[in-house]
Amino acid sequence: MTSNQEPRPATTEPAEIVPAPTASPSTETPPDPEALISLYLRTLDSPQTIKTYNTEIRMFLSYMEEHFGRGVGDLSAEDISRYREYLLGTYSSATAAKKLTCMRRFLTFTYMGGVSRISPESLRFFARSPKVRQDSSYNILTEDELSRMLSAARTENYRDYVMLAVMVSCGLREAELVGIRIGDFRESGAVHDGQDIIHLRVLGKGDKTRNVPVSPDLWSLVQRFVIHSGRTFTSQNDARKPLFESREGRNKPLTTRAVRYMVKKYVRKAGITKPVSPHSIRHTVGTNMAVNEAPLLIIQQFLGHSDPKTTMRYIRRAEEISNRSYEYNTLRI
């Protein structure tokens, strides 16, 4: 069927106008600081290192949140630079350097995980450590100064005296000293001059253990101390107890902070005016062994150094002392 009518033009509905999409706020959850800290601490080995980094990282993150209102993912190089200025204006160079090192390593870890945006190169520039003068832990004590400290402790507190004696005889770190348990003293199976040789099992950095030979004099002193404290070496229960107990509770070990306080206390009583720390005693032991020409390997094993370069500083210090040996000659011309 045909039609003479003209075809009507096709009509189309007007297109629906759809508004352009607007940017919506990011729904990405910011990284959980606790999870980041926990994850990073699991990459560390030594319990003391874990404790130190946990403290320093939390301090850093709290400062950033309190002063800038920013989390790890929002930090800028300027924020890092301002934190460095705060540390340098508040702490000694050595302390600031330690705090900056902890911060750099943590932020490098978060950068590698895609959480933070400050590259390791930027961190090395904006969070560089200050130059550090030799700290007090590198001061060494003379035999007379050590003798005066031991005498002061022997007069005032028997436990403190035995602690100092163990530090002087074995050259232990603070954490190693407070970690000693009664059962860590063991017979080595060897005999010298008709006496059994006793070893002290020491848990050092990175959970590495080493056996430190104990002199007959120190062993006699430790035996008397254990008996005096009402404990024995034959009891399996006592074997698990700390050798040096805190006054806050029986069977509770001392803290490293208590050891530092104790050393400073007897430094004052001995009339020693130079800065001295527990590590000073350890350095004194290493230097004394080097002066007495102990082989490098012996010193390294005795002090538990993983890197012989660390032990070499005692050799160099012994050479410095030897070069000034004329100072020990008090005869005048």
Side-chain angles (χ1 to χ4, degrees), residues 181-195:
R181 300 189 180 277
I182 293 176
D184 290 333
F185 290 92
R186 303 171 182 177
E187 292 184 358
S188 66
V191 178
H192 179 69
D193 289 342
Q195 291 183 308

Side-chain angles (χ1 to χ4, degrees), residues 285-303:
V285 172
T287 303
N288 182 63
M289 294 178 73
V291 168
N292 287 300
E293 300 181 349
L296 177 66
L297 181 60
I298 296 297
I299 303 175
Q300 181 184 350
Q301 292 177 339
F302 187 80
L303 296 178

